[in-house]
Every structure is written in structure tokens, then in C-alpha cells.
Amino acid sequence: MPLEPITDSTNRQSHKQKDGTAHSIASQVVSIHDGSRSSFLANGWYSTSDLAVYLRVDASTLRRWRTARPPQGPPFVSVSERVVMYSALDVDEWLRSRRTVPGRDA
């Protein structure tokens, strides 16, 4: 079952590790409560570790993609030197752009 980006800080989703034990995955949340909610901020966000679980890659793979020249992987937002977030909309669009449909003319 794929992880959904979390839009409420109280929501947590369980994920089974390779050894079969479950641990909790919680995305960092961006929300605005003043009525001027930007569509960019209103959607779900993934942290690097959450997105790595979702894509089934190691977090170091995402870091390598970000630091490649030119950058690779889904678009990201550097919140600070140590905090990077990925918009669920951007990740969805990036995944769709990489989709291959066998038998369809290129």
C-alpha cells in the first residue's frame, strides 16, 4: 500500500520495515490557517525519509539526485541547509513523466 502524504500533524501511517516490524512514518506538515491558503502549501509534503520510503529507495539516493549536476529526481524545496521537502503534487507529476506505456508510440 503506497504512503499518502500527511496533511495533518496528528495523522501517522504505519509502514513495515524489511525485517517485518512496523514503524510510524509522519510527514512534516505545512498549513496556513488565516484563510489565504496557497495551493502550493495546501497540498501534502514529504520529507526526504518519507519520500524514500514511498519510492522504495534509500534516502541517500534522493540526496545524490539533489546534488547531481544538473539535479535529478523530483522537484524539491530547500527549507534550510538540513531540511528538504517534496510537494506531493511535484512527486506525482515527476512519476507520471517517467511512466512508460508498452506498445505506445514514442
Side-chain angles (χ1 to χ4, degrees):
M1 178 170 143
L3 290 176
E4 293 293 326
I6 296 173
T7 57
D8 183 292
S9 61
T10 61
N11 291 339
R12 296 195 182 277
Q13 195 158 1
S14 180
H15 176 74
K16 287 198 174 189
Q17 297 177 2
K18 290 181 183 178
D19 65 5
T21 61
H23 70 280
S24 180
I25 305 288
S27 294
Q28 293 187 19
V29 177
V30 176
S31 64
I32 298 174
H33 299 287
D34 66 359
S36 64
R37 192 169 221 176
S38 166
S39 62
F40 192 62
L41 293 176
N43 296 294
W45 288 84
Y46 293 106
S47 67
T48 298
S49 59
D50 290 340
L51 184 59
V53 169
Y54 180 68
L55 295 177
R56 298 184 180 147
V57 300
D58 194 271
S60 66
T61 299
L62 292 170
R63 287 189 284 277
R64 187 170 28 88
W65 289 347
R66 286 194 311 261
T67 58
R69 293 294 172 241
Q72 301 172 9
F76 58 91
V77 175
S78 295
V79 177
S80 71
E81 189 176 310
R82 296 181 145 227
V83 178
V84 176
M85 300 299 293
Y86 295 86
S87 164
L89 293 175
D90 286 342
V91 171
D92 185 56
E93 184 177 320
W94 178 76
L95 286 171
R96 288 179 190 279
S97 75
R98 301 181 59 78
R99 186 171 181 239
T100 301
V101 179
R104 186 178 283 180
D105 294 329

